[in-house]
Amino acid sequence: MSPAGHAFLDSLNPEQRLAVLHGDGPLLVIAGAGSGKTMTLAHRVARLVADGADPRRILLLTFSRRAAAEMARRAARILARLPGPRAAALSWAGTFHGVGARLLRQEAHRVGLSPGFTILDREDAADLMGLVRHEIGLAGRDSRFPLKATCLAIYSRTVNAEAELAEVLDTAFPWCRMWEAELRRLFGSYVDAKQRQQVLDYDDLLLYWAHAMLEPALAAEIGARFDHVLVDEYQDTNRLQATILGGLKPDGRGVTVVGDDAQAIYAFRAATNRNILDFPQQFRPPARVLTLERNYRSTRPILAASNAVIALAAERYAKELWSDRGSAERPRLVTVADEADQARCVVAEILERREAGLALKEQAVLFRTAHHSGALEVELVRRNIPFVKFGGLKFLDTAHVKDVLAVLRWAENPRDRVAGFRVLQILPGIGPAIAGRALDRVAEAFDPEMALAALAPPARTAEAWPALVGLVGRLARRAAGWPGELADIRAWYEPLLQERFADAAPRAADLAQLEQIAGGYASRERFLTELTLDPPDATSDEAGTPLLDEDYLILSTIHSAKGQEWTAVHVLNVVDGCIPSDMATGRASEIEEERRLLYVAMTRARDHLALMLPHRFYVHQQSAAGDRYLHAARSRFIPPALLPLFEETRWPAPRPAADPPGAGGPAADIAARLRAIWG
Ligand code: ATP
Ligand code: MG
């Protein structure tokens, strides 16, 4: 037993101290957001090392590489304050996937792998799935067989949930039920192809590791490498990960897991809350369970609102958090007209806070899906505010947005080879050589449309060629006007989108949004200039990613914001259809996961929290209804009974009556818009 005399324990509360000083038996810390679970885990690592544990024999598993690095840094910082030299470097801190890759490479020959295996990322894996699908004849043009990305998602779920294909199809992909036999054949061939090529996909990293743990001798050997295994965010692990943990330490000795069932948000990737809830009973005697009730992160009003949101959940391991951080500021519900105003409001408030001394890095904007931040990103770029985005590509860096912008740039300047090169190669059958020759002709010609029309495209391109020539001509003549030109480009591009990308629907939605954004600019030239759209190879790498000591704003999906905290947080689109997402309004369990997502988002805030409510919400419909505005309603997770916990505001604030809008100018615009919406 450790001496309780370490000075660094003084800052902990009694429950946290119990967890840090707990001995070798299995331990579960289950507690709400911001209660210090991650901090306690870092202190426990430091305490173990301070008491003589070998840091090279500690396995620390977290949800992201970023989180692992952060936790290792925290532990090292605590140890650095102790007298005497301490080797604090943890050599085994990482994600399940990362640690799995390392262990598998070391033990490759014993699990039937070549030590030189390579790893496919999700996109590579989907490509391989597509290739195999083609090879075994399941990719006929008019077949309604699921796309490669869907096939991979189904495959991945069967692997991670350790479930039967039929069951996965029934519960998660019912529209693919009719293809069970074909999918089975496809997955068999996919597995063969991976084995032939000695490649592993992400799921294999867990799968092979879990299988290795079923081999008792090997499992004992791998388990014996570690004296302590600590896992953060245990609520978001899946069956395979629980199998791995159980295989490493069957009797639970040295195992600590921490998590919060109210923050389980990865069921869509086969994570199961059962892992954390069933953990104690997995052992004889059962694991010790500690809970933490004091929240150190958020002010009382923010915590009260978050607690109230999660209290409406259908089922959870009941725990109430308290905080002694008093504040008069309630979280705000900010109504704005639409997404464009939402972007302007968020930027205005963030800049105001920065003026008041709060660095951009201390502020974050969170959203349900990566493409919800499109309008905001454009506004940030326009106003030269640096930001990083987690959980998805930056809007302006996505292939489809770049394609459409390249068309615009090429129209603006037919001699822009980078743009033209990109546009021409969108067409099937056109590669760099043909594109280069076509651009030479355009450069020599007076009229780009005529130059292109005079070219004989390759046979594969013949069908698509006239449409491009026509588009180039219309854009050169400015036939559609601004921003009608973007609608014209979209109409041309969308069929190609279907052919180029498996996930065409969300990309089409992005482009609809780009058209909306473009409407806010006076002309094509202004739009392109304001976005400072240099071709990517003209900007240095450093320009893309802000330097470490530079200040920048954080944009993140809620999923990627797990475990983090900021002084001020804006959450976008807290309306039905976004939270809960309209993709998830089906089963009750999915709705509950969406509720937890809102809880996770709200509990990231320390002092200031704003939930944004665009009054009108632009949706892109695949159906005959086309694009349209929907009147959006406040998320159902904030029913009227909860409103007293919030402050309801509008942006821009309505003008006082004594100050009537003038005959023209922005004030009149705003007034007219307000009348149109609320009048
Ligand atoms: P989440 O559920 O969001 O992952 P968590 O339970 O892991 O949250 P931490 O991130 O570890 O919580 O801690 C939240 C904040 O509270 C951090 O800023 C941390 O430094 C602070 N904190 C935790 N415990 C204490 C304590 N005993 N004294 C002072 N501050 C604390
Ligand atoms: Mg945490």
Side-chain angles (χ1 to χ4, degrees):
M1 191 59 205
S2 132
H6 299 304
F8 64 81
L9 298 177
D10 293 350
S11 60
L12 304 178
N13 68 37
E15 292 75 29
Q16 292 175 333
R17 210 173 300 139
L18 282 179
V20 170
L21 292 173
H22 171 80
D24 266 355
L27 170 67
L28 164 68
V29 179
I30 187 163
S35 57
K37 296 182 297 297
T38 302
M39 201 204 64
T40 299
L41 213 53
H43 276 75
R44 181 162 167 80
V45 169
R47 198 281 291 172
L48 291 168
V49 175
D51 284 352
D54 181 345
R56 290 164 305 178
R57 296 179 50 79
I58 293 178
L59 174 59
L60 182 60
L61 294 163
T62 62
F63 194 75
S64 67
R65 293 191 356 229
R66 228 169 351 128
E70 171 60 25
M71 182 118 60
R73 223 175 7 249
R74 276 205 213 180
R77 220 178 308 139
I78 302 164
L79 285 167
R81 282 189 252 125
L82 301 184
R86 314 236 174 213
L90 296 177
S91 27
W92 289 93
T95 61
F96 272 91
H97 291 89
V99 169
R102 214 170 127 197
L103 283 171
L104 288 173
R105 205 168 302 281
Q106 290 180 0
E107 304 292 343
H109 50 284
R110 299 179 65 185
V111 288
L113 287 168
S114 132
F117 69 81
T118 50
I119 299 168
L120 301 177
D121 65 21
R122 293 239 182 252
E123 215 156 299
D124 296 339
D127 285 347
L128 180 59
M129 188 69 85
L131 212 74
V132 172
R133 182 174 150 236
H134 188 78
E135 277 168 13
I136 64 173
L138 288 172
R141 253 187 166 261
D142 43 20
S143 128
R144 287 177 49 245
F145 194 73
L147 294 166
K148 61 183 182 181
T150 313
C151 294
L152 185 68
I154 298 171
Y155 171 82
S156 178
R157 204 173 169 114
T158 55
V159 170
N160 284 295
E162 298 188 318
E164 290 296 323
L165 176 58
E167 182 193 331
V168 167
L169 291 175
D170 278 344
T171 54
F173 300 89
W175 66 94
C176 301
R177 192 72 186 81
M178 62 200 286
W179 302 106
E180 185 185 340
E182 287 84 353
L183 284 168
R184 203 174 288 283
R185 193 152 66 87
L186 173 65
F187 295 163
S189 304
Y190 174 68
V191 169
D192 288 345
K194 285 189 296 182
Q195 256 158 15
R196 260 199 319 277
Q197 302 175 20
Q198 283 291 316
V199 295
L200 301 190
D201 61 25
Y202 280 163
D203 301 325
D204 288 332
L205 297 173
L206 298 186
L207 192 62
Y208 276 81
W209 188 4
H211 273 256
M213 305 315 288
L214 295 176
E215 172 70 45
L218 189 52
E221 233 173 273
I222 295 179
R225 289 175 171 214
F226 306 110
D227 300 324
H228 300 278
V229 182
L230 305 99
V231 189
D232 197 1
E233 306 270 7
Y234 194 61
Q235 77 280 357
D236 282 325
T237 53
N238 61 33
R239 291 272 309 263
L240 268 184
Q241 287 162 318
T243 303
I244 289 169
L245 190 64
L248 279 173
K249 296 285 167 195
D251 59 0
R253 272 182 73 79
V255 176
T256 303
V257 304
V258 315
D260 178 7
D261 56 307
Q263 293 184 68
I265 53 176
Y266 275 88
F268 77 103
R269 287 233 186 109
T272 165
N273 232 343
R274 297 272 27 125
N275 283 357
I276 194 164
L277 298 176
D278 296 345
F279 181 83
Q281 294 306 326
Q282 212 176 305
F283 308 102
R284 287 285 160 270
R288 181 174 189 188
V289 181
L290 292 172
T291 58
L292 310 174
E293 270 155 18
R294 174 162 176 189
N295 173 300
Y296 289 89
R297 178 180 294 149
S298 308
T299 62
R300 247 188 238 144
I302 290 176
L303 195 60
S306 313
N307 279 341
V309 164
I310 201 65
L312 297 174
E315 62 168 6
R316 73 189 184 109
Y317 193 97
K319 49 193 177 313
E320 201 59 32
L321 287 173
W322 63 276
S323 162
D324 74 349
R325 299 197 49 221
S327 165
E329 181 185 323
R330 277 175 293 167
R332 288 177 306 137
L333 291 171
V334 185
T335 301
V336 289
D338 52 24
E339 288 180 280
D341 264 7
Q342 171 171 261
R344 282 188 280 266
C345 169
V346 168
V347 170
E349 295 193 351
I350 285 169
L351 290 180
E352 211 171 286
R353 287 238 159 78
R354 189 176 60 171
E355 285 305 304
L358 188 65
L360 294 175
K361 271 187 180 172
E362 281 299 311
Q363 311 191 44
V365 183
L366 308 181
F367 31 85
R368 171 66 182 84
T369 331
H371 73 257
H372 282 169
S373 62
L376 175 66
E377 291 179 45
V378 170
E379 183 72 9
L380 291 169
V381 168
R382 189 178 78 80
R383 303 189 55 171
N384 229 341
I385 300 170
F387 67 94
V388 292
K389 180 173 178 182
F390 296 110
L393 268 182
K394 285 187 176 178
F395 185 71
L396 294 173
D397 290 342
T398 52
H400 50 295
V401 171
K402 281 166 88 168
D403 282 350
V404 167
L405 292 173
V407 178
L408 276 183
R409 262 171 43 219
W410 198 30
E412 191 65 21
N413 173 13
R415 283 167 203 273
D416 183 336
R417 280 188 84 89
V418 176
F421 207 59
R422 182 169 188 117
V423 174
L424 288 168
Q425 291 184 72
I426 294 172
L427 298 185
I430 295 200
I434 301 175
R437 279 201 299 279
L439 290 173
D440 291 342
R441 303 288 282 276
V442 170
E444 290 157 9
F446 174 70
D447 178 346
E449 181 183 11
M450 277 170 63
L452 291 175
L455 285 172
R460 262 195 72 202
T461 319
E463 201 183 318
W465 189 251
L468 175 67
V469 175
L471 177 71
V472 167
R474 289 193 302 280
L475 292 174
R477 291 191 301 278
R478 300 180 181 269
W482 184 257
E485 289 176 9
L486 258 174
D488 197 3
I489 298 173
R490 272 178 60 205
W492 165 77
Y493 184 68
E494 278 197 16
L496 296 162
L497 196 63
Q498 308 287 343
E499 286 178 29
R500 279 160 65 76
F501 302 103
D503 53 344
R507 292 178 192 261
D510 280 357
L511 297 178
Q513 196 182 20
L514 186 68
E515 187 182 331
Q516 283 301 113
I517 295 167
Y521 294 81
S523 67
R524 179 167 85 195
E525 186 270 332
R526 281 289 291 279
F527 180 59
L528 289 172
T529 313
E530 296 252 12
L531 297 188
T532 55
L533 290 167
D534 297 326
D537 49 1
T539 45
S540 67
D541 278 344
E542 290 82 348
T545 24
L547 299 174
L548 274 182
D549 54 359
E550 213 177 281
D551 194 21
Y552 50 82
L553 179 70
I554 311 290
L555 268 52
S556 177
T557 60
I558 301 172
H559 281 101
S560 298
K562 244 173 58 154
Q564 304 192 66
E565 60 188 24
W566 295 275
T567 301
V569 170
H570 282 90
V571 186
L572 302 184
N573 298 335
V574 186
V575 295
D576 258 28
C578 292
I579 306 179
S581 154
D582 52 9
M583 294 181 296
T585 39
R587 278 173 304 143
S589 63
E590 287 180 7
I591 298 287
E592 287 304 312
E593 179 144 319
E594 298 284 314
R595 189 194 308 278
R596 293 191 295 268
L597 265 171
L598 181 59
Y599 175 70
V600 170
M602 293 173 68
T603 52
R604 300 308 96 200
R606 290 194 198 106
D607 297 355
H608 312 288
L609 172 64
L611 307 184
M612 305 301 297
L613 310 177
H615 191 73
R616 293 187 308 168
F617 189 71
Y618 190 73
V619 286
H620 174 70
Q621 303 273 339
Q622 292 261 290
S623 67
D627 301 342
R628 63 204 167 101
Y629 275 115
L630 278 188
H631 274 261
R634 188 179 65 237
S635 167
R636 69 188 71 170
F637 303 136
I638 305 179
L642 264 48
L643 289 179
L645 295 168
F646 294 88
E647 182 191 344
E648 294 181 80
T649 64
R650 272 179 184 178
W651 192 94
R655 297 205 153 226
D659 183 17
D669 284 354
I670 293 169
R673 212 164 52 202
L674 285 174
R675 266 198 302 282
I677 296 162
W678 291 303

